[in-house]
Amino acid sequence: MGYDAKFRVWRGDLDGGELHDFTVPVNEGEVVLDIIHRLQATQAPDLAVRWNCKAGKCGSCSAEVNGRPRLLCMTRMSTFTEAEVITVTPMRTFPVIRDLVTDVSFNYQKAREIPSFTPPADLKPGDYRMKQVDVERSQEFRKCIECFLCQNTCHVVRDHEENKTAFAGPRFLMRIAELEMHPLDVADRRDLAQDEQGLGLCNITKCCTEVCPEHIKITDNALIPMKERVADHKYDPLVWLGNKLFRR
Ligand code: SF4
Ligand code: F3S
Ligand code: FES
């Protein structure tokens, strides 16, 4: 059955803004993005929201609902009681462009800083057969839809603009881990991860994993194994001695 919901939606731009109150009809089976679209159609035609697939696959509609990072298109209205006031705000970690739309270019910058997949130069097509376990490991990380909800959530940058230059964020530390664990990749990104992309700033709070709509085990399957690789490399006494002697 339909009902009227109370919505509070943040409206503004980089210079500031405020929450606006709306009362808006809700039909059975709808998601928060449906309600935002109804607001655009009936009460706030210039309300800015980014979206694309409405199926949880493009990663465009990321925002915060009652303070929790979520995909607007995958947040069912049935999650809330009919009496609840539903507050929709833009992602907090990225600069606002307008209303619910943020500038996520920080993430594209971090993506560009990671050296790409590097197979051995003499490897020919068909020379190598991937083991199933290696395929599955990569596949988990490849489910990422780049919604950047994990990036938005991580406390290292959420309220610390000053950390952004030194921290790639969980999505891109996961990308480094994926490449490092790939059996055919010959590049070494361990120093990059630790010294330039801020792996050491991650203190394994797992908030990134909690908000991932693809349920990727970012912390357990990417960040912790990557930390172990860095520790083996940097702090193993034999490796340390070898580095000193042979100046690798
Ligand atoms: Fe989104 Fe998950 Fe990818 Fe992070 S890892 S960008 S939360 S899909
Ligand atoms: Fe941040 Fe995830 Fe680490 S939330 S601190 S990157 S475990
Ligand atoms: Fe594509 Fe929500 S609109 S993930």
Side-chain angles (χ1 to χ4, degrees):
M1 288 293 286
Y3 66 98
D4 284 342
K6 297 256 182 279
F7 262 65
R8 308 196 82 194
V9 181
W10 193 89
R11 301 213 59 191
D13 56 26
L14 207 48
D15 295 328
E18 58 189 4
L19 291 166
H20 289 229
D21 290 314
F22 298 96
T23 302
V24 56
V26 174
N27 302 313
E28 198 172 346
E30 287 185 327
V31 294
V32 172
L33 186 59
D34 289 316
I35 311 308
I36 296 293
H37 284 163
R38 184 161 299 125
L39 283 176
Q40 283 181 323
T42 59
Q43 302 182 45
D46 59 343
L47 173 63
V49 61
R50 188 189 282 130
W51 69 284
N52 214 310
C53 68
K54 205 166 175 281
K57 287 297 161 209
C58 73
S60 304
C61 66
S62 302
E64 302 193 3
V65 183
N66 291 351
R68 192 176 165 79
R70 286 179 175 277
L71 295 178
L72 296 179
C73 74
M74 297 303 283
T75 306
R76 292 186 170 277
M77 286 301 296
S78 57
T79 319
F80 312 102
T81 65
E82 294 187 8
E84 212 169 335
V85 179
I86 298 166
T87 303
V88 187
T89 47
M91 285 194 284
R92 190 158 100 194
T93 301
F94 310 119
V96 168
I97 297 175
R98 196 158 70 86
D99 302 339
L100 300 177
V101 178
T102 49
D103 176 358
V104 293
S105 52
F106 162 77
N107 300 286
Y108 305 130
Q109 175 60 39
K110 295 297 170 182
R112 277 193 291 272
E113 291 171 12
I114 301 171
S116 55
F117 176 56
T118 312
D122 56 353
L123 188 81
K124 297 188 189 59
D127 272 3
Y128 186 87
R129 275 180 190 272
M130 291 276 282
K131 292 196 182 80
Q132 189 59 29
V133 65
D134 292 322
V135 172
E136 281 164 12
R137 189 188 307 109
S138 277
Q139 273 177 344
E140 182 188 15
F141 303 142
R142 288 295 175 125
K143 286 192 301 179
C144 175
I145 58 171
E146 301 220 310
C147 63
F148 305 131
L149 288 177
C150 58
Q151 301 283 97
N152 173 55
T153 304
C154 179
H155 68 95
V156 176
V157 284
R158 186 165 169 88
D159 287 312
H160 297 281
E161 189 67 29
E162 71 280 8
N163 284 343
K164 281 188 176 169
T165 50
F167 188 64
R171 192 272 169 268
F172 297 103
L173 292 170
M174 178 177 86
R175 173 69 179 148
I176 293 175
E178 179 196 343
L179 291 166
E180 275 299 300
M181 290 190 264
H182 195 294
L184 283 184
D185 186 87
V186 294
D188 185 348
R189 300 173 188 76
R190 290 173 295 185
D191 286 339
L192 172 92
Q194 187 69 9
D195 302 337
E196 292 170 42
Q197 303 295 342
L199 181 65
L201 292 173
C202 162
N203 55 353
I204 321 183
T205 56
K206 298 196 181 185
C207 311
C208 50
T209 303
E210 273 176 34
V211 299
C212 177
E214 287 293 320
H215 307 293
I216 302 170
K217 293 198 169 73
I218 306 169
T219 320
D220 287 352
N221 290 350
L223 305 184
I224 293 174
M226 194 62 214
K227 280 176 175 285
E228 288 168 350
R229 283 170 178 252
V230 167
D232 286 350
H233 168 61
K234 274 196 182 289
Y235 309 116
D236 182 312
L238 288 177
V239 174
W240 178 84
L241 187 64
N243 286 347
K244 282 277 174 216
L245 292 176
F246 304 111
R247 292 172 181 272
R248 281 178 60 212

